[in-house]
Amino acid sequence: MAIIKRRYQTKKQQKPVTFYQAEVFIKGVRIAVKNFSTKREAILWHEEQRYKFSSSPTSLKDRMRFKDCVDEFCKDVKTRIKKSTFQKYECQLTYLYSSPLANVKMSELKGVKIVEWLNWLKKHPTAKNKGRKSFIHELKLLSNVLNWYRNFLNEDFNVPITKKHKQMCVFKQNKPRRPDYYIQPKDTEAWVKWLKEHRSNPVYWRLAVFMLSTGVRVSEACGLKWEEINLEENIARIIRRVRWDHFTRWPEIEDVTKTDQSSRLIMFPEKLKNVLREMKEEDKSDFVFTDSKGELLKYNAVQSAFNAGFTALNLPWRSTHICRHTFATVALMTTKNLSAVQASLGHTEIRMTQKYAKTVALLSPETGEKTFSTLFKDNQLFQRSN
């Protein structure tokens, strides 16, 4: 109960005047305040108001509409999340603001409203895009907004998103990813050779070799400075990355990595040292990988160069990230050390490393041999008959 006894006195008054201030708080938020001459009046009003607000299902924040909740969510998270993440949110906000959910009260936001929203999404013009197969990212943004509302505004709110809604998001089936999702060793040499011969700027084949040999992300490689490379000990420090603006595509330096675990030391092979030493003699920039003007590389230029090589060699890959998958798979295949591969990639959880280093890398000829020897003891059974 918030009943406060207060006094005030002016210069003309000989005695101070006493009054009682009643304040009504719901879930830590002051929603009403009023002054009374007696304590009894303050208590009666306080109880009446508290009952009124607590018994009404549409009281306080429950009267908030969904679009207003999205506004508050954006104001709060904009200062706490990375700029690249917020730009992705901005691209998806149109699916919330212009949707049937916009004017729905938060107290009325139930599972049936989510179903209506998903059906509306499937009729959206972007659903006809060739690359659009689901609205799972839009559902994740909605989930983030509703969880934020529950955590910061109304802890009694139940997020109505269920497994059914996640299944409804997918309206086109993706082809299952091939088990050997990495560039074969025989193809890597041909691809790097093509980049060296068909691109005037040698930075592309050198960048490809560096990524294939170390498993770093393209953003981490493009943000690498010479001061972080120790050519004597073959060590590089990954402490920053390049962020490409989602709208302008312009590169910007961020002195952070994707996660805390991504800030790491990596060791590059001895043969790569010669390539780096040659680059250091030629380059005048502080950064290792730059364009012909000595400026930061644009992602679309890197992707265009890499994809041109894949297309020319009839390879199925269309991504710079395939270099990271390739390093992880081949490293695990040759070393059988999953923890070392995890440290090289900078993954927080080992299950993420297992997704990158494909299961084909775990295959061992000993598995079949030992199983065969256990099942079949009689070796004469498999001898050739004359």
Side-chain angles (χ1 to χ4, degrees):
M1 181 180 296
I3 306 296
I4 306 173
K5 184 178 181 180
R6 296 186 181 277
R7 294 181 179 181
Y8 73 91
Q9 181 179 6
T10 63
K11 293 182 178 179
K12 297 180 180 182
Q13 293 175 329
Q14 296 180 354
K15 295 182 179 180
V17 178
T18 302
F19 68 95
Y20 295 87
Q21 185 179 71
E23 298 177 331
V24 180
F25 289 86
I26 301 293
K27 298 170 185 176
V29 180
R30 191 176 74 172
I31 60 174
V33 60
K34 193 173 181 179
N35 297 333
F36 297 90
S37 57
T38 65
K39 186 175 182 180
R40 178 177 175 78
E41 290 177 340
I43 293 175
L44 290 176
W45 179 87
H46 179 273
E47 293 300 320
E48 180 184 352
Q49 295 298 317
R50 190 173 66 171
Y51 176 78
K52 175 184 175 181
F53 282 103
S54 61
S55 61
S56 174
T58 58
S59 63
L60 195 58
K61 299 300 180 181
D62 287 341
R63 290 178 291 182
M64 176 184 286
R65 296 188 182 277
F66 176 73
K67 61 181 180 181
D68 299 323
C69 178
V70 176
D71 288 337
E72 295 297 323
F73 167 80
C74 292
K75 290 178 184 178
D76 182 45
V77 302
K78 187 174 182 180
T79 58
R80 295 189 289 106
I81 63 176
K82 295 179 180 178
K83 188 175 180 179
S84 56
T85 303
F86 189 76
Q87 285 189 338
K88 291 179 182 179
Y89 285 173
E90 288 182 303
C91 295
Q92 297 167 355
L93 286 177
T94 181
Y95 298 102
L96 300 181
Y97 280 124
S98 60
S99 73
L101 295 177
N103 292 313
V104 175
K105 293 181 180 179
M106 295 303 295
S107 60
E108 300 173 357
L109 190 54
K110 308 298 181 183
V112 64
K113 297 294 184 181
I114 307 297
V115 173
E116 293 176 4
W117 174 66
L118 291 173
N119 290 330
W120 175 82
L121 284 178
K122 292 179 181 179
K123 296 178 182 178
H124 197 275
T126 58
K128 299 179 181 179
N129 293 348
K130 185 177 180 181
R132 169 72 78 175
K133 300 186 184 300
S134 73
F135 287 98
I136 191 66
H137 294 292
E138 288 72 18
L139 184 66
K140 287 181 179 179
L141 175 57
L142 175 63
S143 178
N144 290 340
V145 173
L146 297 183
N147 278 292
W148 175 87
Y149 174 77
R150 182 185 62 185
N151 292 330
F152 295 98
L153 296 184
N154 187 357
E155 64 269 21
D156 295 327
F157 178 77
N158 291 321
V159 178
I161 297 177
T162 63
K163 186 176 181 179
K164 170 187 175 180
H165 301 129
K166 296 178 182 179
Q167 293 174 344
M168 287 184 64
C169 282
V170 182
F171 56 92
K172 292 180 186 177
Q173 292 297 326
N174 284 319
K175 294 182 179 179
R177 178 172 285 183
R178 48 192 296 174
D180 57 337
Y181 190 76
Y182 68 100
I183 310 175
Q184 301 293 328
K186 60 182 179 62
D187 295 327
T188 55
E189 291 187 356
W191 177 56
V192 171
K193 184 178 180 181
W194 189 94
L195 290 174
K196 188 175 183 179
E197 295 176 351
H198 293 81
R199 284 291 178 269
S200 58
N201 192 340
V203 69
Y204 297 114
W205 76 265
R206 290 167 172 172
L207 177 62
V209 171
F210 187 82
M211 293 173 62
L212 287 168
S213 304
T214 59
V216 299
R217 301 176 179 89
V218 63
S219 59
E220 295 170 343
C222 292
L224 189 64
K225 289 185 176 182
W226 286 113
E227 62 188 38
E228 279 97 49
I229 292 184
N230 188 334
L231 292 175
E232 300 299 326
E233 299 180 3
N234 296 11
I235 293 178
R237 290 187 298 134
I238 305 299
I239 57 175
R240 74 175 61 82
R241 67 174 183 169
V242 170
R243 183 189 68 82
W244 291 278
D245 190 275
H246 191 81
F247 303 105
T248 64
R249 307 298 181 186
W250 195 257
E252 296 179 5
I253 284 294
E254 287 186 339
D255 290 324
V256 293
T257 51
K258 185 176 181 180
T259 63
D260 293 337
Q261 195 74 15
S262 298
S263 182
R264 63 198 187 278
L265 292 175
I266 59 171
M267 297 194 68
F268 50 85
E270 185 69 25
K271 292 183 179 179
L272 188 59
K273 181 192 296 187
N274 298 330
V275 177
L276 293 173
R277 183 175 283 112
E278 181 182 355
M279 292 174 61
K280 191 172 184 179
E281 294 174 356
E282 297 174 358
D283 294 346
K284 297 180 181 180
S285 173
D286 294 335
F287 293 91
V288 179
F289 300 101
T290 57
D291 60 14
S292 56
K293 298 180 181 180
E295 299 177 351
L296 294 174
L297 289 171
K298 295 183 176 64
Y299 178 75
N300 52 354
V302 177
Q303 189 177 42
S304 177
F306 282 19
N307 289 349
F310 292 141
T311 303
L313 299 174
N314 294 321
L315 297 176
W317 322 116
R318 295 294 181 272
S319 170
T320 59
H321 214 58
I322 191 64
C323 296
R324 191 164 163 84
H325 284 270
T326 301
F327 168 83
T329 305
V330 176
L332 183 58
M333 189 182 298
T334 53
T335 65
K336 305 297 182 184
N337 191 337
L338 191 60
S339 298
V341 177
Q342 178 189 3
S344 298
L345 296 176
H347 284 157
T348 305
E349 298 181 0
I350 202 165
R351 64 179 181 178
M352 180 60 70
T353 309
Q354 292 172 334
K355 290 182 179 180
Y356 276 77
K358 302 301 171 287
T359 53
V360 67
L362 296 175
L363 297 178
S364 172
E366 296 180 358
T367 304
E369 292 291 342
K370 292 181 179 180
T371 305
F372 185 88
S373 300
T374 303
L375 294 175
F376 303 102
K377 303 292 185 181
D378 188 0
N379 295 327
Q380 296 182 354
L381 183 64
F382 300 97
Q383 292 181 354
R384 296 181 60 181
S385 57
N386 297 327

